[in-house]
Amino acid sequence: MKLRLFFLILCSLCAYLYLEAQIEDPKATEVWEPEPRVVSPGTGTAPPSDAIILFDGTSLDGWTNGKGEAAGWKIADGAMTVVKGTGDVKTKRKFGSCQLHLEWRTPKEIEGKGQGRGNSGVFLSDTYEVQVLDSYKNRTYSNGQAASIYKQYLPLVNACRAPGEWQTYDIIYMAPVFNDDGMKVRSGTLTVIQNGILVQNNVEIKGTTPYIGLPKNPPHGKGSLRLQDHGNPVSYRNIWVREL
Ligand code: MG
């Protein structure tokens, strides 16, 4: 019995010393596999090598209006601009979780105020709106200003440039997960960087982003990226996405 106990203690001591020896070796905590694949960055805000280009300034071929017909917005000087009354435009291709880059510009000529000034929006999965608005010295409700998750989260700061200037959004969207019964089992999240400034930090999406009423959670799979026609001639350019 004493002999067994002696061996047990000896084995434990050996295991401990072995693990200690392993931990003292820096190689013990190195991970070599898998090796992350190489992606070549773009220059400035140009798309990286593995991005899907959604709009390069020349064509709306990858886009439709809300009815699936040709998108009615106009293209000029490498940008697409809302044509009032033609409706939202959305990508033919559908996406779930993704990293999205786009650039937007509200009109230099200031017209309207509050929600009526330079209003548009970026909808992830065709459903969740990151607000686009001319929020430069233009007060409105905080959870409806630029870079808000509409009626859910106000932006951490107001990072808006002046009207007529191009601004960037870099959005990390993790789509919500629904089970086979259509119940949401994991909320989606959004992180938004506007003009290089963090404005939404991994917030949990509460559901749809309606003008009136509370968020709802209808189940969905992948969806189009949609840009809003809110009646103001807001422009977009350099839109690319990386699926996550
Ligand atoms: Mg909007």
Side-chain angles (χ1 to χ4, degrees):
M1 191 66 186
K2 278 186 178 171
L3 199 62
R4 278 174 66 183
L5 188 63
F6 171 74
F7 276 113
L8 190 65
I9 292 168
L10 189 65
C11 285
S12 300
L13 188 64
C14 286
Y16 173 76
L17 290 172
Y18 174 75
L19 286 171
E20 268 297 291
Q22 289 288 303
I23 290 166
E24 282 176 8
D25 180 359
K27 287 190 166 36
T29 45
E30 293 176 358
V31 174
W32 285 73
E33 298 293 340
E35 182 185 4
R37 65 192 163 83
V38 174
V39 175
S40 303
T43 303
T45 59
S49 58
D50 67 345
I52 298 162
I53 313 297
L54 298 178
F55 180 64
D56 67 359
T58 61
S59 166
L60 285 171
D61 284 351
W63 299 74
T64 68
N65 66 11
K67 298 175 191 160
E69 301 159 346
W73 295 14
K74 70 166 189 247
I75 296 181
D77 302 324
M80 65 161 104
T81 300
V82 175
V83 175
K84 184 178 178 178
T86 60
D88 297 357
V89 295
K90 60 186 192 178
T91 57
K92 291 177 182 170
R93 188 161 173 164
K94 295 182 176 178
F95 302 96
S97 301
C98 63
Q99 172 188 351
L100 170 69
H101 172 91
L102 56 80
E103 297 166 25
W104 55 274
R105 182 183 62 189
T106 59
K108 189 168 186 175
E109 306 285 317
I110 295 173
E111 274 184 45
K113 60 179 181 179
Q115 292 288 310
R117 182 171 141 184
N119 195 333
S120 182
V122 179
F123 288 78
L124 287 306
S125 286
D126 206 2
T127 304
Y128 311 112
E129 183 180 11
V130 178
Q131 175 70 301
V132 168
L133 192 75
D134 179 0
S135 286
Y136 184 85
K137 299 179 181 174
N138 177 37
R139 194 78 178 100
T140 183
Y141 44 95
S142 301
N143 63 355
Q145 71 181 67
S148 63
I149 310 305
Y150 188 70
K151 294 262 179 103
Q152 291 186 24
Y153 295 97
L154 39 154
L156 295 169
V157 293
N158 182 339
C160 282
R161 298 189 199 278
E165 293 187 31
W166 283 103
Q167 315 202 41
T168 60
Y169 273 171
D170 288 282
I171 298 173
I172 312 297
Y173 166 62
M174 298 305 292
V177 177
F178 300 88
N179 69 13
D180 291 341
D181 297 326
M183 291 165 61
K184 188 173 77 173
V185 291
R186 196 171 72 209
S187 294
T189 60
L190 277 164
T191 295
V192 181
I193 296 172
Q194 181 184 3
N195 301 324
I197 299 166
L198 183 68
V199 284
Q200 296 288 351
N201 187 8
N202 196 36
V203 296
E204 202 169 281
I205 302 167
K206 295 174 183 171
T208 55
T209 52
Y211 175 47
I212 299 170
L214 298 172
K216 294 184 175 63
N217 283 281
H220 63 81
K222 291 183 173 183
S224 298
L225 168 71
R226 176 160 58 91
L227 303 175
Q228 185 184 47
D229 168 11
H230 202 282
N232 303 135
V234 174
S235 301
Y236 291 90
R237 71 178 185 189
N238 191 23
I239 308 175
W240 50 263
V241 67
R242 298 180 62 245
E243 294 182 298
L244 299 176

